[in-house]
């Protein structure tokens, strides 16, 4: 009997161990999670298995445990997981550079701007002071500032302070002199603002390029640090892919080299800046695609920004009669660019804010893409649309929109546009209904990096103070499902990447984000406070 008992025990042991050996090996198994897969049916799951950086199975915890084993088995303890978040329009490299400049975001007066510049310069002693983030619309005095105080404080040190939207500079006389800008200097596609004393130091849109030419270029070490700083910030917010809206060849190649050697983990969809040198190289070479870098779009500026009254409007500004804004890129040049890009494999992504700019860009797209299928050209911002022009989005044109612009601009947008025209502004639900998909982003560092503010603004149409109570033009709010799709699978689709990312499905990259709260179920006012606890790119926590 003793021998038989031992044999039975050995048999049970062999059966159990053989079952273990029959299980498939995975690199990571995640169980006991609240997973929004964002697949076609928006189905939910509890677990998944990962091998070689991709999802190999998705299902219930019991199903996954039964089939897969791994050295790393993670019990998510019921926490919420979504596909890794994608920011469909941002300035990733610009965010990194901002970490090395004067941060003027959130300043409540020009005096506070001056205080931050002084504190920064005392610490760093720069030969050319650069800053970004001021917004006169947030100040009690909402007029553009002038250079007078900067001239007094820094008579010999050039200063260039960029408005939060990136469409205006405030510079001092030392910077004007260095750039050769005089009272009679003229530049089309923008404005050199003057008063009775001459140049005020405010440059809007194209004249800014004269200053850009004299700002000392960053060293390679500075650029590398900027990219790493930006990655750290983005990964902390659960972002796994960023669409950088305007990069030159050298920066794109630096990103590629850092990704190839494992120094940069985040995936980048790079929009190539519209310069002759960039176009000559990339349109001739064709798209560049690796696992972490995708270069297949050209970023073009249509007009300026609404906050600095540079957006091109069909009728004059309601608060500046006779002023229509301006096209930054001449319409003939945009039309020629569109024809050139249409015969390539590249996507055209055009910044358009005002209803006049949007109308021209949409008509141009419609003309040059006639008969061409699945080109997925984007209108970046699509901010103010005339009711006559919404139907253009039925033809495969993708609105790439930034919901926090609505909640930032709502305090003054009607002043700029008037009661009737503002109803066609920030019309995200109407755009979705026409286009079938919208790609959501932040436009950081114009807005904050947080995708949770994007989600909240898209759905609640309120700022973090809860204003306005019923939501700004709430009829154009998105549902939570639509918002999450816009930050994952629809954003991936807009990049021609829906087969490799954007949802938690077998065969796709194991990019996913784990949260401290369920952003699909918690009260709306809790969404801005959601945190990304862990961010995985290719199955590796970053």
């Amino acid at each position: 009997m003793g021998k038989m008992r031992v044999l039975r025990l050995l048999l049970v042991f062999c059966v159990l161990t053989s079952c273990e050996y029959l299980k498939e090996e995975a690199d990571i198994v995640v169980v006991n999670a609240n997973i929004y897969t964002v697949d076609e049916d928006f189905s939910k799951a509890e677990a998944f298995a990962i091998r070689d950086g991709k999802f190999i199975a998705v299902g219930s915890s019991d199903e996954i445990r039964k089939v897969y084993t791994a050295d790393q088995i993670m019990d998510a303890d019921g926490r919420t997981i979504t596909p890794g978040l994608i920011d469909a329009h941002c300035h990733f490299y610009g965010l990194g550079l901002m970490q090395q400049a004067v941060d003027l975001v959130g300043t409540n007066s020009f005096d506070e701007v001056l205080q931050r510049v002084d504190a920064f310069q005392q610490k760093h002693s720069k030969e050319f002071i650069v800053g970004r983030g001021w917004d006169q619309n947030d100040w009690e005095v909402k007029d553009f500032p002038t250079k007078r105080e900067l001239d007094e404080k820094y008579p010999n040190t050039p200063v260039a302070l960029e408005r939060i939207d990136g469409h205006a500079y405030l510079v001092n006389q030392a910077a004007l002199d260095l750039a050769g800008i005089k009272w009679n200097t003229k530049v089309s596609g923008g404005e050199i603002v003057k008063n009775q004393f001459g140049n005020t130091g405010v440059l809007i849109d194209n004249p800014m390029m004269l200053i850009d030419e004299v700002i000392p270029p960053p060293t390679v070490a500075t650029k590398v640090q900027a990219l790493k700083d930006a990655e750290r910030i983005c990964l902390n917010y659960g972002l796994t892919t960023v669409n950088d809206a305007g990069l030159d060849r050298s920066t794109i190649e630096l990103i590629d080299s850092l990704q190839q050697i494992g120094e940069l983990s985040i995936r980048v969809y790079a929009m190539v800046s519209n310069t002759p040198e960039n176009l000559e190289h990339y349109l001739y070479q064709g798209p560049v695609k690796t696992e972490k870098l995708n270069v297949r779009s050209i970023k073009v500026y249509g007009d300026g920004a609404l906050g600095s009254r540079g957006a091109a409007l069909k009728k004059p500004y309601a608060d500046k009669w006779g002023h229509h804004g301006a096209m930054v890129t001449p319409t003939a040049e945009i039309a020629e660019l569109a024809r050139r890009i249409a015969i390539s494999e590249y996507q055209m992504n055009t910044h358009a804010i005002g209803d006049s700019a949007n109308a021209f860009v949409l008509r141009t797209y419609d003309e040059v893409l006639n008969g061409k299928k699945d080109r997925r050209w984007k209108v970046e911002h699509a901010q103010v649309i005339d009711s006559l022009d919404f139907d253009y989005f039925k033809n495969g044109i993708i609105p790439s929109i930034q919901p926090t612009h609505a909640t930032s601009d709502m305090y003054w947008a009607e002043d700029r546009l008037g009661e009737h025209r503002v109803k066609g502004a920030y019309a995200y639900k109407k755009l979705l209904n026409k286009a079938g998909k919208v790609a959501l982003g932040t436009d950081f560092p114009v807005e904050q990096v947080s995708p949770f503010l994007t989600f909240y603004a898209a759905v609640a149409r309120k700022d973090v103070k809860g204003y306005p109570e019923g939501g700004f033009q709430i009829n154009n709010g998105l549902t939570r499902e639509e918002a999450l799709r816009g930050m994952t699978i629809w954003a991936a689709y807009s990049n021609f990447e829906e087969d490799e990312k954007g949802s938690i499905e077998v065969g796709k990259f194991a990019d996913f984000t784990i949260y401290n709260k369920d952003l699909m179920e918690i009260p709306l006012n809790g969404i801005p406070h959601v945190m990304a606890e862990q961010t995985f790119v290719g199955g590796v926590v970053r």
Side-chain angles (χ1 to χ4, degrees):
M1 287 295 291
K3 278 188 175 182
M4 290 299 295
R5 186 176 181 187
V6 170
L7 286 171
R8 280 198 296 269
L9 288 172
L10 284 171
L11 180 61
V12 169
F13 176 76
C14 290
V15 169
L16 290 173
T17 54
S18 65
C19 287
E20 283 297 316
Y21 287 131
L22 289 173
K23 286 186 179 182
E24 283 194 44
E25 286 285 341
D27 298 325
I28 306 173
V29 168
V30 176
V31 297
N32 191 24
N34 175 41
I35 301 168
Y36 294 92
T37 67
V38 198
D39 62 5
E40 187 175 355
D41 298 322
F42 207 73
S43 62
K44 294 188 69 176
E46 295 177 331
F48 50 71
I50 298 166
R51 186 192 301 132
D52 296 330
K54 294 184 177 181
F55 297 111
I56 57 172
V58 182
S60 69
S61 294
D62 286 344
E63 289 168 340
I64 299 300
R65 282 185 184 276
K66 193 176 296 182
V67 178
Y68 294 95
T69 185
D71 290 337
Q72 184 180 353
I73 297 179
M74 179 188 300
D75 187 331
D77 196 26
R79 290 179 296 170
T80 294
I81 296 177
T82 72
L85 299 178
I86 301 171
D87 193 310
H89 181 112
C90 66
H91 300 277
F92 176 72
Y93 174 55
L95 173 70
L97 288 178
M98 248 190 79
Q99 307 313 303
Q100 303 171 47
V102 190
D103 181 4
L104 303 174
V105 175
T107 46
N108 294 310
S109 67
F110 186 50
D111 283 341
E112 189 176 349
V113 168
L114 295 171
Q115 289 166 13
R116 292 198 192 182
V117 172
D118 290 346
F120 178 88
Q121 184 62 358
Q122 287 172 16
K123 184 176 180 180
H124 298 284
S125 298
K126 295 283 189 179
E127 294 182 4
F128 196 125
I129 303 170
V130 176
R132 179 169 176 163
W134 61 271
D135 184 353
Q136 84 284 1
N137 294 309
D138 293 340
W139 305 342
E140 186 175 345
V141 178
K142 300 187 186 302
D143 297 329
F144 277 133
T146 70
K147 66 185 178 65
R148 182 173 62 82
E149 289 93 339
L150 290 176
D151 287 345
E152 292 172 356
K153 288 173 174 288
Y154 303 102
N156 302 311
T157 303
V159 181
L161 307 179
E162 195 169 7
R163 192 179 182 277
I164 193 165
D165 58 10
H167 287 267
Y169 272 145
L170 172 66
V171 302
N172 65 349
Q173 189 61 44
L176 291 173
D177 291 342
L178 191 62
I181 299 173
K182 304 183 184 303
W183 69 271
N184 59 347
T185 300
K186 296 184 184 299
V187 180
S188 62
E191 183 180 2
I192 299 173
V193 180
K194 298 177 174 62
N195 60 19
Q196 66 270 32
F197 304 110
N199 289 333
T200 65
V202 173
L203 311 175
I204 299 174
D205 291 318
N206 283 354
M208 297 168 66
M209 290 188 286
L210 299 176
I211 297 295
D212 291 338
E213 289 173 1
V214 297
I215 295 175
T219 64
V220 172
T222 297
K223 294 178 74 169
V224 168
Q225 189 60 52
L227 292 167
K228 289 184 175 183
D229 286 345
E231 177 184 63
R232 171 180 48 80
I233 295 167
C234 291
L235 291 174
N236 284 342
Y237 278 108
L239 293 166
T240 56
T241 295
V242 289
N243 289 19
D244 197 315
L247 292 169
D248 61 25
R249 177 182 172 183
S250 65
T251 306
I252 291 170
E253 290 177 348
L254 179 60
I255 288 169
D256 186 30
S257 65
L258 291 173
Q259 289 173 331
Q260 296 289 355
I261 64 174
E263 291 294 313
L264 204 65
S265 301
I266 200 163
R267 303 187 201 275
V268 177
Y269 186 81
M271 304 184 205
V272 178
S273 292
N274 168 33
T275 67
E277 299 80 12
N278 286 337
L279 291 175
E280 185 68 28
H281 175 75
Y282 284 104
L283 292 183
Y284 175 78
Q285 174 177 304
V288 178
K289 183 71 171 74
T290 72
E291 282 198 351
K292 292 191 174 176
L293 178 67
N294 194 354
V295 187
R296 64 166 301 161
S297 63
I298 307 296
K299 169 67 184 303
V300 179
Y301 277 96
D303 58 347
L306 195 64
S308 50
R309 297 187 184 86
L313 301 179
K314 292 183 176 183
K315 294 180 180 178
Y317 277 76
D319 59 355
K320 192 175 180 180
W321 189 251
H323 181 72
H324 289 77
M327 294 298 285
V328 173
T329 308
T331 54
E333 186 177 328
I334 291 175
E336 177 56 32
L337 269 172
R339 286 190 288 271
R340 186 178 175 190
I341 296 168
I343 61 175
S344 76
E345 296 180 68
Y346 273 76
Q347 181 187 56
M348 186 169 178
N349 298 341
T350 308
H351 164 117
I353 300 287
D355 55 3
S356 180
N358 273 287
F360 178 76
V361 169
L362 289 165
R363 279 200 309 272
T364 301
Y365 281 14
D366 194 59
E367 289 170 8
V368 303
L369 295 179
N370 186 28
K372 298 180 186 294
K373 302 297 184 184
D374 198 32
R375 294 305 301 270
R376 308 186 195 183
W377 284 18
K378 302 183 198 180
V379 179
E380 304 292 335
H381 309 305
Q383 201 159 296
V384 186
I385 311 289
D386 189 301
S387 59
L388 300 173
D389 297 322
F390 277 96
D391 279 348
Y392 281 109
F393 288 100
K394 290 180 177 179
N395 302 326
I397 297 170
I398 299 174
S400 177
I401 54 179
Q402 301 78 46
T404 48
H405 283 338
T407 53
S408 293
D409 297 357
M410 64 183 175
Y411 291 94
W412 45 262
E414 188 170 329
D415 294 337
R416 297 278 194 279
L417 298 171
E419 182 181 0
H420 173 72
R421 191 164 45 186
V422 77
K423 292 176 182 176
Y426 318 97
Y428 304 143
K429 188 73 164 189
K430 189 170 183 178
L431 287 167
L432 172 61
N433 289 340
K434 296 292 184 181
K437 295 178 179 67
V438 289
L440 302 188
T442 60
D443 203 11
F444 71 67
V446 176
E447 301 283 355
Q448 294 184 54
V449 179
S450 173
F452 310 115
L453 296 181
T454 298
F455 191 99
Y456 178 65
V459 178
R461 305 274 290 193
K462 299 178 182 180
D463 64 15
V464 292
K465 300 173 185 175
Y467 178 85
E469 186 176 345
F472 171 65
Q473 298 183 173
I474 192 60
N475 58 304
N476 272 305
L478 305 180
T479 67
R480 296 195 200 204
E481 178 180 332
E482 290 164 349
L484 186 56
R485 286 188 183 276
M487 297 163 69
T488 54
I489 191 64
W490 289 344
Y493 176 88
S494 79
N495 297 348
F496 296 88
E497 296 178 331
E498 74 276 14
D499 291 334
E500 64 184 53
K501 65 174 70 163
S503 60
I504 296 175
E505 296 183 86
V506 172
K508 293 192 176 184
F509 290 131
D511 298 351
F512 61 97
T513 305
I514 304 178
Y515 307 91
N516 65 332
K517 294 179 182 177
D518 184 349
L519 73 171
M520 303 299 288
E521 295 291 343
I522 63 172
L524 273 179
N525 61 8
I527 290 172
H529 310 293
V530 172
M531 295 176 63
E533 292 190 334
Q534 290 178 297
T535 304
F536 287 75
V537 181
V540 178
V541 67
R542 302 296 182 179

